[in-house]
Amino acid sequence: MDVSEYRRRTNQQVAAAAKRTRQEAPRNLKAASATLERREAPEGARIAAVRAMGRDIRRRPTLIDRLIALLADGSESAKLRLEALDVLQGATFLVQTFAAKRPQYLEALRSIMDDPDRDLRRRVIGALAREKDEYVHRRLLEGLEKPSKALVPPAKAIQFLGYDVHADYFPLLRRIVEQPPTASAQREAIRVLAADPKSRPLLTKILGDKDQPSGVRYMSALALQSLAPTQFEGIARKIALDNREDHRLRAASLTALAQYTEPQATASQRAFTRRVEKLGERASSPDVKRATKAYMARVRG
Amino acid sequence: MAAELGERSREEDVATRVEAADASPDQVSMLVELMRERHPVYRGRSTNATIRMRGYAMAAFERVGLPEPALLYALEELESGREPYLVAAAAKALRGLIRRERRLVPFLLRAIDNVRYHDDMVTFERYLPTWPAESPTTALAEVFRTLGWLGPNAALALPRLTDFKAIQLPPVTRAALTRAISEIQTDGVPEESSCCRRADPRPFGILGRSEPVAASGAPPMSARFEDQDGLRLTYRDFFSGRPSVVVFFYTRCTNPNKCSLTITKLAELQKQTAQLGLSESVRTAAITYDPDFDLPPRLRAYGDNRGVVFADDHRLLRATRGFDAIATYFELGVNYGPAAVNQHRIEAFVLDDNGRITTSFTRLQWDVRQILDEAIAAPADGRRSGRGRSELFGAAGTD
């Protein structure tokens, strides 16, 4: 989809949602609270009530208690609880107001980590993972080691664990990279291994392995560039000049070399630059052509 | 006899040993050993695991009594810790002291500042709990309980506690606050603490044990470094010829009271050194615990962002060879998980013009002016090696 079309549709959706909220929103906080307490009220009205309560949190912090209770209440609909979670996550930015409620909020999140609703579970786990919560780490690791206990798909679990570089999952991730349960889990594991200096040999091996999917090699290149820029520079130069290499990877290597190195600093870099110049003249891939042009523009300042 | 706890011990086995510990000297000593960051049991674990294990052991001092050698660990956690579980454990540990010392109060007040905006429910009822837990507490609740336990000795804290009455708190924290205020206001005579007599320069008697680094053995002269600009040099190149101040840090540290503050204070120290016209008399350096990750561009950005002014005599360094020798010489209080540091203490050192330690400032926050004075006074030939100091206690330990 074209980006301007995407923007137009998004704006339309936002405007429609705002209109719905205005129509459904209770007139005041008292009405909102009453609507929320009426279980027989239409779900849309109760969701609007939760939103209305959210707007008053700063003035009435006790509303946070009600929303935490709603979030933890498994007998309520997942949609309503997701709305409560949205409002509570917004309220966490009211640092002073929210501070006193934080322990109960985190406790509530932990207590619903196994909720049957997939979306709610994923959101809750994500919120806890961003807090580097030890309980969610234990449960995510358990799920990666024993798929029958998994709370979220492996790629998602790795993404959540990746929020904390002080964790102990790196050996497990290296195993996942070599024997991936899914392609997305492999890519996610490589992305997270960018924080692990011990993974340099593995990342180097994958980047140099032409049998690996180009997406996986691309991810390895990014990780290696962060971990070992000098080593990456050497490998990236070889890839950029290799006609049998994947064009996307060649272009990405050239872009990285243009952005993160000094193309004219050493004799070997100057020699490489001359070869890139020639490459620009004869490359057939538009991606490579574009990348060589950008590289040469950087050289010429 | 129980097997030694080590790298291969299961977390659950460590917890079982902690739970079974009683007040006998060997059991208490086992718990004190678990306070050391370098204990092999922490090697290769995540930071979350080290927090669990160390916090569980620290909380056990409430039950078995807090011996003098462990007091500093609890105070350090209260002063600079940000993890609710460890702060709660440290507050609990203080209740294992025999005497209720009013000098504990500033540490507890600082702990309140450290955790009040990111407190959490924690439980010490069992190791590796599932949630919801049966009887959770919070770090603030444990700090309030300890202030209450101090009774009239904590009178200094009353205004702060009274302020909290107007704030909404979780029920468990609110109950602890109410009770603490009542206990502090109880008619009673504060126990006179030896720490408050001017004549006693060694409050709690811990100064001699603020882990002065013994400076045994020779400095790691052949260790090699790369600085924030990628320039290479040896320990001998940089640390010989003039006194130096050296601190340790790493860029991925998440506790703003530790590495980030250390480097900010180093920048302030540079500023004060320049104001005294001593920039060329005292060198400053910060050495990363994480040399494989902290490559020169990261070092430069980290220093720049905290006001460090780089020059030939003022650098951030990563060891490219000989980090183990450096860790041994400085007795670094650090341990590692699979990819990064998993825990560390605060540590700063003054070195003489032969690169030998003359004074160490460890665990508790150091004062810029005090460390600068030490550096200015640092003599040649390491004649005063092995002194330990800490800002908050204001007096030096000895060899």
Side-chain angles (χ1 to χ4, degrees):
Chain A
M1 187 193 307
D2 175 59
V3 71
S4 45
E5 172 61 13
Y6 172 72
R7 280 188 193 139
R8 194 185 62 76
R9 281 194 204 176
T10 305
N11 288 340
Q12 266 181 356
Q13 283 168 357
V14 170
K19 191 176 170 190
R20 262 201 317 277
T21 303
R22 277 196 302 278
Q23 284 166 349
E24 290 171 349
R27 282 185 301 279
N28 55 43
L29 181 62
K30 203 171 165 188
S33 298
T35 305
L36 179 62
E37 298 315 320
R38 275 196 303 124
R39 288 204 172 214
E40 69 281 9
E43 190 178 55
R46 296 183 79 206
I47 287 174
V50 168
R51 275 189 212 135
M53 289 165 78
R55 288 193 287 274
D56 252 329
I57 276 180
R58 191 191 295 269
R59 284 192 296 131
R60 292 172 197 270
T62 48
L63 293 172
I64 296 173
D65 300 328
R66 177 66 189 102
L67 294 174
I68 291 173
L70 173 62
L71 171 65
D73 185 350
S75 69
E76 290 282 10
S77 80
K79 269 190 175 174
L80 189 62
R81 294 164 72 205
L82 273 165
E83 191 61 41
L85 178 58
D86 269 347
V87 171
L88 286 167
Q89 286 196 296
T92 59
F93 289 97
L94 305 171
V95 177
Q96 294 218 353
T97 308
F98 200 78
K101 308 295 182 185
R102 216 180 104 90
Q104 288 155 298
Y105 170 62
L106 295 175
E107 185 186 31
L109 292 179
R110 284 183 206 119
S111 70
I112 57 171
M113 213 188 285
D114 292 280
D115 197 90
D117 186 84
R118 195 181 58 183
D119 288 345
L120 181 64
R121 199 168 62 232
R122 184 179 54 76
R123 291 276 309 279
V124 161
I125 291 169
L128 284 169
R130 280 186 286 278
E131 297 286 338
K132 303 180 176 66
D133 182 81
E134 73 90 25
Y135 184 48
V136 85
H137 274 197
R138 272 194 276 142
R139 300 290 309 277
L140 288 170
L141 277 174
E142 187 183 32
L144 282 174
E145 277 162 353
K146 297 177 193 157
S148 64
K149 303 215 168 183
L151 299 168
V152 289
K156 206 69 194 161
I158 294 167
Q159 181 201 328
F160 288 152
L161 285 168
Y163 293 145
D164 184 7
V165 297
H166 292 81
D168 52 2
Y169 49 67
F170 293 97
L172 174 64
L173 294 193
R174 287 196 286 267
R175 286 205 302 277
I176 286 174
V177 169
E178 305 225 74
Q179 293 174 323
T182 63
S184 55
Q186 187 186 30
R187 281 197 301 274
E188 202 56 42
I190 290 171
R191 188 185 65 77
V192 174
L193 286 178
D196 176 29
K198 290 194 189 82
S199 295
R200 256 183 239 166
L202 175 63
L203 295 169
T204 307
K205 189 178 104 184
I206 289 174
L207 179 56
D209 182 354
K210 290 180 183 170
D211 292 334
Q212 291 283 353
S214 63
V216 167
R217 294 178 69 203
Y218 180 74
M219 206 56 94
S220 299
L222 291 179
L224 197 62
Q225 191 192 0
S226 163
L227 267 183
T230 312
Q231 198 179 343
F232 168 78
E233 193 179 336
I235 299 172
R237 279 194 214 163
K238 276 188 198 148
I239 290 173
L241 298 174
D242 185 345
N243 290 325
R244 288 161 300 171
E245 270 291 3
D246 179 88
H247 294 318
R248 202 177 136 227
L249 197 60
R250 292 177 76 192
S253 299
L254 278 167
T255 305
L257 290 167
Q259 296 300 320
Y260 300 105
T261 62
E262 294 296 333
Q264 298 292 75
T266 64
S268 77
Q269 279 166 331
R270 286 191 291 276
F272 175 73
T273 297
R274 285 193 292 277
R275 295 184 69 182
V276 171
E277 195 167 15
K278 281 185 190 156
L279 178 63
E281 291 160 10
R282 62 167 198 265
S284 55
S285 155
D287 286 343
V288 175
K289 245 187 164 38
R290 210 171 16 246
T292 50
K293 205 173 158 189
Y295 183 95
M296 292 314 297
R298 164 88 207 278
V299 170
R300 291 174 187 131
Chain B
M1 191 176 150
E4 282 280 300
L5 294 175
E7 195 173 348
R8 288 165 189 263
S9 302
R10 291 168 62 239
E11 268 193 65
E12 292 86 336
D13 295 337
V14 177
T16 304
R17 294 279 289 278
V18 168
E19 284 158 7
D22 56 30
S24 62
D26 62 325
Q27 295 290 291
V28 173
S29 155
M30 179 266 296
L31 291 175
V32 175
E33 278 297 297
L34 283 172
M35 296 300 101
R36 284 175 41 235
E37 290 86 356
R38 288 200 299 176
H39 194 298
V41 84
Y42 299 119
R43 202 171 298 145
R45 316 261 184 189
S46 67
T47 293
N48 273 338
T50 63
I51 290 169
R52 283 195 293 267
M53 295 161 83
R54 201 158 176 258
Y56 205 59
M58 193 178 278
F61 287 121
E62 180 185 18
R63 192 181 72 243
V64 305
L66 181 67
E68 218 177 75
L71 176 58
L72 188 62
Y73 297 102
L75 296 180
E76 172 196 25
E77 211 51 66
L78 293 169
E79 187 187 38
S80 299
R82 307 267 295 187
E83 288 294 336
Y85 189 73
L86 276 171
V87 173
K92 281 168 78 71
L94 291 193
R95 303 202 290 269
L97 283 168
I98 294 167
R99 287 194 317 191
R100 302 175 189 219
E101 306 256 16
R102 70 172 64 143
R103 280 234 174 168
L104 300 171
V105 175
F107 290 92
L108 291 159
L109 292 177
R110 206 171 285 196
I112 291 173
D113 292 335
N114 284 336
V115 296
R116 65 177 294 184
Y117 293 116
H118 49 266
D119 201 1
D120 196 357
M121 288 290 182
V122 297
T123 179
F124 296 92
E125 292 296 308
R126 53 175 292 204
Y127 197 71
L128 299 175
T130 53
W131 292 86
E134 264 178 37
S135 47
T137 180
T138 65
L140 274 184
E142 292 308 319
V143 171
F144 292 156
R145 277 186 191 132
T146 304
L147 286 166
W149 170 83
L150 286 170
N153 295 290
L156 175 69
L158 260 183
R160 290 293 305 282
L161 296 186
T162 309
D163 287 347
F164 267 93
K165 280 168 79 177
I167 297 170
Q168 294 214 3
L169 294 168
V172 65
T173 315
R174 162 78 46 200
L177 173 71
T178 307
R179 190 162 171 191
I181 291 173
S182 153
E183 285 170 337
I184 294 169
Q185 288 174 328
T186 303
D187 288 337
V189 182
E191 292 177 29
E192 190 58 38
S193 75
S194 60
C195 65
C196 301
R197 283 184 235 131
R198 278 186 179 280
D200 185 351
R202 293 162 63 106
F204 305 122
I206 63 170
L207 280 170
R209 264 184 293 277
S210 62
E211 300 180 317
V213 172
S216 57
M221 289 297 185
S222 56
R224 293 187 181 177
F225 297 106
E226 187 174 39
D227 75 4
Q228 71 287 337
D229 296 319
L231 298 173
R232 305 215 163 207
L233 62 165
T234 65
Y235 187 97
R236 187 189 307 276
D237 294 336
F238 190 79
F239 293 108
S240 299
R242 285 174 216 165
S244 320
V245 173
V246 58
V247 300
F248 286 83
F249 79 109
Y250 74 114
T251 63
R252 293 193 281 182
C253 179
T254 55
N255 183 341
N257 292 336
K258 289 194 170 176
C259 296
S260 185
L261 183 57
T262 291
I263 299 301
T264 305
K265 282 158 72 173
L266 186 74
E268 176 58 28
L269 188 134
Q270 287 182 335
K271 225 181 272 174
Q272 293 193 19
T273 309
Q275 281 163 5
L276 294 170
L278 296 170
S279 290
E280 291 180 10
S281 306
V282 177
R283 291 193 177 111
T284 64
I287 301 176
T288 176
Y289 291 121
D290 193 6
D292 285 342
F293 186 82
D294 284 341
L295 301 175
R298 291 192 178 106
L299 294 177
R300 175 163 270 284
Y302 198 80
D304 276 341
N305 290 339
R306 286 158 185 80
V308 172
V309 177
F310 295 110
D312 285 352
D313 289 337
H314 306 283
R315 306 187 197 214
L316 263 57
L317 303 167
R318 78 180 192 102
T320 53
R321 213 165 104 183
F323 185 78
D324 288 348
I326 294 167
T328 303
Y329 180 68
F330 287 95
E331 296 177 10
L332 296 182
V334 61
N335 215 324
Y336 294 87
V341 169
N342 60 18
Q343 57 176 343
H344 72 93
R345 63 181 182 180
I346 293 168
E347 34 204 355
F349 303 88
V350 175
L351 312 182
D352 69 13
D353 56 0
N354 283 323
R356 286 181 177 279
I357 298 167
T358 65
T359 316
S360 57
F361 295 75
T362 58
R363 298 214 175 276
L364 300 178
Q365 294 288 347
W366 47 271
D367 177 70
V368 170
R369 186 66 216 198
Q370 190 181 9
I371 209 167
L372 182 56
D373 289 345
E374 287 289 333
I376 292 166
D381 301 320
R383 286 190 303 265
R384 289 191 307 163
S385 69
R387 281 155 51 94
R389 275 186 176 250
S390 77
E391 168 199 354
L392 287 158
F393 296 97
T398 54
D399 290 354

